[in-house]
């Protein structure tokens, strides 16, 4: 049972480059989330999708876009990477009426 | 809005010592409360949860009680092991907020043999 799978695990980008972080869940969850983790700041919500076909901004959406491709997949795109986007990115999902979220292993992104 | 404040670290303990990590919250409604744990190089795992006032969550020897009167959810373990070394996050979510999680800053715990 894979749960939440993120790719890639590590990535180094140059300033201005673009990339897409992929996330897929196999738990038939309705809701999916993208968080970033920075030292001393916990995890902050970038974007989320409460159901297939909908997406909404979280606390720190600037510089990011998302796509809920289908019920399983939720991708995060950086159109023009900046050093401030150096972080660890986590995808998560939760089921209808279930308050806790399940997390992927994370993507460590460095922008130089 | 919702917010979570947890004890700052890092915390360093000897094996078999007692661990407490304080967590308090601010919420507009009736949140569910969680402790997540992150072992080195891994993602977040749910450690325990409580969904209503006075509930006690427990797992792997860890406990936390949902105290509505003090808006707190402190994590405790009576005798820590080296394998408990990790970062611990307190968090909350609300059904009326699409179950978006609000996290504390995290507390790094190191247990020495």
């Amino acid at each position: 049972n894979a749960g939440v799978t993120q790719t890639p695990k590590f990535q180094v980008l140059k300033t201005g480059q673009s990339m897409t972080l992929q996330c897929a869940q196999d738990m038939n969850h309705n809701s999916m989330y993208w968080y970033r983790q920075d030292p001393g700041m916990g995890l902050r919500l970038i974007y989320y999708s409460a159901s297939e076909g909908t997406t909404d901004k979280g606390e720190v959406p600037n510089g990011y876009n998302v796509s809920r491709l289908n019920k399983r997949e939720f991708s995060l795109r950086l159109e023009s990477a900046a050093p401030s986007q150096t972080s660890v990115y986590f995808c998560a999902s939760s089921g209808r009426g279930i308050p806790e979220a399940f997390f992927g292993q994370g993507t460590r992104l460095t922008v130089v | 809005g919702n917010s979570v404040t947890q004890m700052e670290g890092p915390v360093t303990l000897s094996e078999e010592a007692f661990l407490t990590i304080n967590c308090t919250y601010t919420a507009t409604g009736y949140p569910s409360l969680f402790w997540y744990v992150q072992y080195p190089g891994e993602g977040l795992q749910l450690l325990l949860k409580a969904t209503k006032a006075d509930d006690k969550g427990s797992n792997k020897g860890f406990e936390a009680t949902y105290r509505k009167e003090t808006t707190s959810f402190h994590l405790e373990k009576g005798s820590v092991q080296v394998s408990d070394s990790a970062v611990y996050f307190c968090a909350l979510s609300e059904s009326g907020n699409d179950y978006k999680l609000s996290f504390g800053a995290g507390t790094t715990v190191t247990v020495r043999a």
Side-chain angles (χ1 to χ4, degrees):
Chain A
N1 187 357
V4 180
T5 303
Q6 290 182 234
T7 56
K9 288 187 169 49
F10 301 93
Q11 184 72 48
V12 178
L13 290 179
K14 293 182 179 178
T15 297
Q17 287 185 318
S18 62
M19 79 162 293
T20 300
L21 281 64
Q22 307 287 352
C23 175
Q25 52 91 9
D26 62 2
M27 295 174 283
N28 201 35
H29 284 169
N30 291 309
S31 301
M32 298 185 73
Y33 312 84
W34 277 105
Y35 293 88
R36 59 177 289 172
Q37 181 184 16
D38 301 293
M41 304 186 75
L43 278 77
R44 293 178 292 168
L45 183 65
I46 304 171
Y47 270 93
Y48 70 104
S49 171
S51 62
E52 187 178 354
T54 69
T55 60
D56 285 287
K57 295 178 180 179
E59 184 183 353
V60 289
N62 291 345
Y64 305 95
N65 285 300
V66 290
S67 296
R68 183 74 182 266
L69 303 170
N70 48 55
K71 192 171 187 179
R72 290 187 63 246
E73 298 172 287
F74 188 40
S75 63
L76 178 72
R77 183 161 178 83
L78 288 69
E79 290 291 351
S80 179
S84 60
Q85 294 178 305
T86 293
S87 187
V88 181
Y89 291 85
F90 287 100
C91 178
S93 68
S94 65
R96 189 184 299 279
I98 300 174
E100 70 264 32
F102 297 84
F103 284 79
Q105 293 292 91
T107 296
R108 185 173 294 276
L109 175 67
T110 302
V111 183
V112 298
Chain B
N2 297 338
S3 66
V4 176
T5 303
Q6 68 179 95
M7 188 176 84
E8 291 187 19
V11 174
T12 302
L13 301 166
S14 296
E15 217 166 15
E16 299 183 4
F18 184 86
L19 171 67
T20 298
I21 304 176
N22 290 339
C23 172
T24 57
Y25 67 90
T26 302
T28 54
Y30 301 94
S32 296
L33 302 174
F34 310 92
W35 279 99
Y36 281 86
V37 59
Q38 183 180 31
Y39 298 105
E42 298 186 10
L44 276 73
Q45 302 175 25
L46 180 65
L47 180 59
L48 53 85
K49 69 178 182 183
T51 58
K52 61 183 187 297
D54 299 325
D55 268 2
K56 177 185 284 189
S58 61
N59 187 26
K60 299 182 180 180
F62 290 89
E63 292 184 340
T65 301
Y66 189 142
R67 301 286 189 198
K68 192 170 186 296
E69 63 276 13
T70 55
T71 61
S72 65
F73 192 55
H74 305 321
L75 182 69
E76 296 182 339
K77 186 173 185 181
S79 177
V80 294
Q81 305 300 312
V82 172
S83 57
D84 293 324
S85 298
V87 183
Y88 294 83
F89 293 94
C90 186
L92 68 82
S93 73
E94 290 187 277
S95 60
N97 203 21
D98 291 326
Y99 290 120
K100 295 178 290 186
L101 283 161
S102 296
F103 284 90
T107 302
T108 300
V109 174
T110 302
V111 181
R112 301 175 303 191

